[in-house]
Amino acid sequence: MTDSTFSMPAPHPKERRLIFENISKPGYDTSLETYLRHGGYESLKKALGMKPGEIVDAVKAANLRGRGGAGFPCGMKWSFIKYDDGKPHYLVVNGDESEPGTFKDRYILHHDPHQLIEGVVISAFATNCHLSYIYIRCEFPHAAKIVWKAIQEARAAGFVGKNILGSGFDLDIYVHQGAAAYICGEETGLLESLEGKRAYPRIKPPYFPAVLGLYMQPTIVNNVETLCHVKHILRLGSEEYAKMGTPGDGGTRTLCVSGDVARPGFYELPVGAVTLGELIFDLCGGLRPGRKLKAVIPGGSSAKVLRAGEKFKIKAKGPDGAMTEKEIDMLDVVMDAASLAAVGTMVGSGGVIVMDDTRNMVQVLNNLNQFYAHESCGQCTPCREGSLWMSKITTRILDGGGVEKDPATLKNVADNIAGRTICAFGEACSWPTQSFLTKFPEEFSAASAKLLN
Amino acid sequence: MGMNERETQSGAQVAKVTPEFEAQAEDLISRYPVSRRSATLPLLHLWQNTFGSIDDSGVEWIAARVGVGPVQVVEVITFYPWFRRKSAGRTIIRVCRTLSCALAGSHDIKEKFCQAVGVDPHSHSHGFGAPPPTAPDGEFSVEFVECLACCGSAPVALINDDLHERIQPEDVPAIVKKYQS
């Protein structure tokens, strides 16, 4: 079976690999035997000796935030489930990895399935789930086979199934394949898809599937990478795990870098360990020869774009402990959720897309607009119509048919989608248009003015 | 008569369902102990992988198995870009269109694939269950798809089940040759 060719350079001194520690070792394969030789299922044994509530507390104390995009505290999400409410609980793994620029879960699913399965069993034990589905996008056909084979191996060895390792805890895990729709990454859309329907996201409230989820029962939906972290929290202890990150955002995070850098790829780093500048110029080897940085989308295609040279005023604690305001360059922004939020964008799913000075920003935005127009599920009018209009307008500008008021029209359409839809897709499709227009106004007005001038 | 015993209208077509196919379908359904309807997508994949596309007989067969009306299967097919009502080429080349791959030249790569296999580079699927553009000899289909989540080694294409990465325009003829019968 062929999938992504796998070559990782030796870790950069700033990297700390937990999730990718074994994957990057030569000769590491997906068999149970290999996993056991690398300390596999030891965290599960530890977990089964703990009280479920203690595991939830450990994940809370570790400050694990979801790695799928929204960054919600994982332990808090779990605590929304009442352990013994007498209802069936389900654990659903979001392996739909579809946010453009993100490509970390692909490697976990293809190269270390047992790490995910161990995380799933521990998490299901902590939340009293006895049935779990791993939702894998169908564009990963090998991953679905690899993970399913690993589940069967784990079952044969007593790590999955009835009475896991003699603990009395039962868990069945199945793989469910998607069918190429981005919206299945939205957790309630994913649940609808898993119920055999169109992936229309559900109306909120309730805001959390922990209240009403799969088959209208309490359900935990977690990203692939997030569940893998659970294993490492138990292995290292909450305190050591939390210490790696920043206050309120523990552990490591995988940043996926693509676009115009010398060394694209994924880099697993302690949360907050590098700035955007260090990531691009130090870890990724900078831009290609002779090129200058122009723009960066820091957290998956939905994240608002940053323009090279852009300055931000942020609040920082001075040496005397008092809060002072200081000005920083976009390259000095720390790659964590809080720092990126402070400059008006987000770390999202960790997909960093870098663009150099040869790139036309109208073309870039048009590419994203076409993506969102194609992927809007069509349920809410502002998004269904608006995403299509934004795509039509940027396409027309590129075809030389732009008119002077196009930038204003684009902004107006985007402003009328965000906040007016059932799910966050509305924001996701508006933010690129809003931010590209704000950050690169001269390119849009120059391209749009052609006909009328 | 319960929903699960619904008779399909095109009995002749269903004759193509072999005992082996039946067994695979039952295995998939058994993975959803709470609701058979959850097996809709897996059964659609199974049908499409086995027969090339999901025609009316497939819709009716699956609807009967999962206990819904045929329209509830059709609305699923037309929602998800992966499913098609008519057959595509024997080999399907799916080139990633989204940003990182586009920056790395995927438009050029897609055009090269189209030229190499005889698909009109300007044609595209109209969605709603339509198959991707296919060469007249039925050997190849070529289409743009959205992000394949392999942006670090762009441009990429998924050809049948296999991923091809860092494709250069000059690599295209050799890649196509591997899939020619």
Side-chain angles (χ1 to χ4, degrees):
Chain A
M1 289 201 269
T2 65
D3 199 83
S4 184
T5 49
F6 200 80
S7 63
M8 276 174 80
H12 186 274
K14 292 221 153 131
E15 274 195 77
R16 168 92 197 256
R17 291 182 189 166
L18 301 178
I19 306 296
F20 286 95
E21 183 189 1
N22 291 328
I23 298 179
S24 49
K25 284 179 184 158
Y28 187 82
D29 62 27
T30 57
S31 70
L32 177 63
E33 194 203 335
T34 299
Y35 188 63
L36 292 174
R37 238 186 307 120
H38 289 79
Y41 292 106
E42 287 302 321
S43 292
L44 173 62
K45 289 176 191 160
K46 200 169 175 179
L48 294 174
M50 295 167 74
K51 290 200 178 84
E54 290 172 348
I55 302 172
V56 178
D57 289 341
V59 170
K60 273 189 190 163
N63 293 331
L64 172 63
R65 283 178 176 268
R67 302 293 195 247
F72 195 80
C74 181
M76 192 190 290
K77 187 187 267 187
W78 288 6
S79 64
F80 294 153
I81 290 235
K82 291 190 189 68
Y83 185 86
D84 43 11
D85 56 8
K87 297 176 183 169
H89 301 169
Y90 305 113
L91 175 67
V92 176
V93 184
N94 188 341
D96 193 53
E97 182 156 78
S98 46
E99 178 75 10
T102 317
F103 49 93
K104 57 192 176 66
D105 298 340
R106 156 187 286 282
Y107 296 102
I108 300 170
L109 293 167
H110 283 93
H111 298 280
D112 205 357
H114 284 288
Q115 182 178 203
L116 173 62
I117 294 166
E118 184 173 5
V120 168
V121 182
I122 297 168
S123 308
F125 177 70
T127 51
N128 200 14
C129 298
H130 301 287
L131 181 58
S132 174
Y133 290 100
I134 303 178
Y135 191 107
I136 300 177
R137 59 184 305 193
C138 69
E139 295 94 326
F140 296 172
H142 293 312
K145 291 189 188 120
I146 290 165
V147 174
W148 181 234
K149 184 168 172 242
I151 292 169
Q152 285 162 317
E153 268 184 308
R155 179 184 287 273
F159 299 118
V160 171
K162 289 255 177 282
N163 192 17
I164 293 171
L165 298 178
S167 64
F169 175 65
D170 304 336
L171 174 69
D172 282 324
I173 310 176
Y174 297 103
V175 170
H176 183 92
Q177 282 186 283
Y182 169 75
I183 199 63
C184 294
E186 202 275 353
E187 61 184 5
T188 62
L190 186 152
L191 294 175
E192 289 287 304
S193 180
L194 190 46
E195 291 183 0
K197 303 169 191 164
R198 289 185 158 207
Y200 286 148
R202 294 179 182 166
I203 292 172
K204 288 92 181 164
Y207 293 99
F208 294 97
V211 181
L212 283 178
L214 184 64
Y215 309 131
M216 294 298 151
Q217 297 297 336
T219 302
I220 294 291
V221 184
N222 276 140
N223 166 262
V224 168
E225 188 194 345
T226 311
L227 288 169
C228 292
H229 278 282
V230 171
K231 164 196 161 157
H232 298 282
I233 290 170
L234 292 196
R235 184 171 64 85
L236 298 166
S238 303
E239 202 178 322
E240 198 190 322
Y241 181 90
K243 227 167 42 189
M244 264 182 262
T246 59
D249 196 350
T252 61
R253 171 183 266 287
T254 308
L255 296 171
C256 312
V257 189
S258 63
D260 299 324
V261 290
R263 285 197 299 272
F266 51 89
Y267 298 88
E268 186 177 353
L269 296 148
V271 172
V274 295
T275 62
L276 180 57
E278 288 167 335
L279 179 67
I280 294 173
F281 291 98
D282 196 359
L283 278 77
C284 299
L287 300 167
R288 297 195 187 94
R291 304 276 178 84
K292 282 199 200 91
L293 182 67
K294 182 168 184 178
V296 182
I297 298 172
S301 65
S302 312
K304 290 190 173 179
V305 68
L306 299 171
R307 179 177 178 149
E310 205 177 343
K311 308 278 188 237
F312 299 96
K313 284 200 168 63
I314 59 158
K315 288 201 167 67
K317 216 176 232 177
D320 55 350
M323 295 300 275
T324 54
E325 203 173 55
K326 68 169 186 176
E327 190 180 79
I328 61 162
D329 187 81
M330 56 88 86
L331 291 175
D332 301 326
V333 177
V334 177
M335 292 300 290
D336 65 33
S339 309
L340 282 160
V343 301
T345 183
M346 63 177 182
V347 72
S349 56
V352 182
I353 307 174
V354 179
M355 287 154 279
D356 70 26
D357 55 349
T358 63
R359 302 302 180 182
N360 172 339
M361 290 297 115
V362 185
Q363 266 178 9
V364 171
L365 179 62
N366 186 52
N367 183 287
L368 297 178
N369 283 350
Q370 287 184 347
F371 173 79
Y372 290 107
H374 184 263
E375 298 297 338
S376 172
C377 81
Q379 192 177 203
C380 311
T381 309
C383 171
R384 180 185 65 238
E385 303 298 316
S387 62
L388 194 62
W389 273 110
M390 293 194 296
S391 164
K392 281 180 175 175
I393 294 170
T394 47
T395 300
R396 178 163 50 73
I397 295 174
L398 282 175
D399 289 345
V403 295
E404 213 173 347
K405 64 180 181 185
D406 276 345
T409 309
L410 271 174
K411 182 177 183 307
N412 184 268
V413 175
D415 291 349
N416 279 293
I417 305 171
R420 290 176 166 82
T421 54
I422 287 172
C423 81
F425 188 105
E427 283 74 31
C429 76
S430 310
W431 287 341
T433 290
Q434 290 170 334
S435 62
F436 274 81
L437 286 167
T438 311
K439 305 285 176 82
F440 299 94
E442 72 287 358
E443 285 196 38
F444 286 87
S445 52
S448 310
K450 264 184 208 156
L451 267 193
L452 292 189
N453 286 349
Chain B
M1 189 173 71
M3 283 296 269
N4 292 342
E5 291 86 46
R6 262 178 61 103
E7 276 177 29
T8 59
Q9 287 152 18
S10 19
Q13 290 269 7
V14 177
K16 65 188 176 185
V17 171
T18 61
E20 191 203 352
F21 184 91
E22 287 270 5
Q24 285 175 299
E26 279 309 315
D27 176 44
L28 290 173
I29 293 168
S30 74
R31 298 177 194 181
Y32 302 93
V34 182
S35 164
R36 298 173 75 85
R37 189 175 179 182
S38 281
T40 303
L41 267 70
L43 291 179
L44 287 169
H45 280 298
L46 177 65
W47 192 281
Q48 182 165 294
N49 289 342
T50 310
F51 303 117
S53 64
I54 306 145
D55 59 7
D56 286 350
S57 70
V59 168
E60 286 164 17
W61 194 87
I62 291 167
R65 283 309 163 107
V66 302
V68 299
V71 68
Q72 284 153 312
V73 174
V74 173
E75 71 173 14
V76 169
I77 295 173
T78 54
F79 182 85
Y80 295 92
W82 196 260
F83 297 130
R84 53 183 182 267
R85 300 278 272 133
K86 293 204 169 91
S87 287
R90 202 176 50 84
T91 292
I92 303 180
I93 300 171
R94 297 180 170 98
V95 182
C96 177
R97 190 207 64 85
T98 324
L99 187 54
S100 301
C101 283
L103 294 174
S106 64
H107 282 75
D108 188 26
I109 299 298
K110 190 216 166 199
E111 201 169 314
K112 290 277 186 306
F113 273 120
C114 284
Q115 287 161 356
V117 304
V119 167
D120 174 7
H122 301 294
S123 65
H124 57 90
S125 164
H126 298 283
F128 304 105
T134 303
D137 62 5
E139 281 294 299
F140 285 92
S141 293
V142 183
E143 66 176 337
F144 255 152
V145 292
E146 299 301 344
C147 189
L148 290 171
C150 206
C151 322
S153 45
V156 302
L158 185 67
I159 305 185
N160 294 338
D161 281 357
D162 293 331
L163 185 76
H164 294 256
E165 299 167 275
R166 298 184 188 87
I167 304 170
Q168 295 304 306
E170 59 272 21
D171 303 337
V172 167
I175 295 173
V176 167
K177 204 165 175 200
K178 270 199 265 183
Y179 291 89
Q180 264 156 352
S181 48

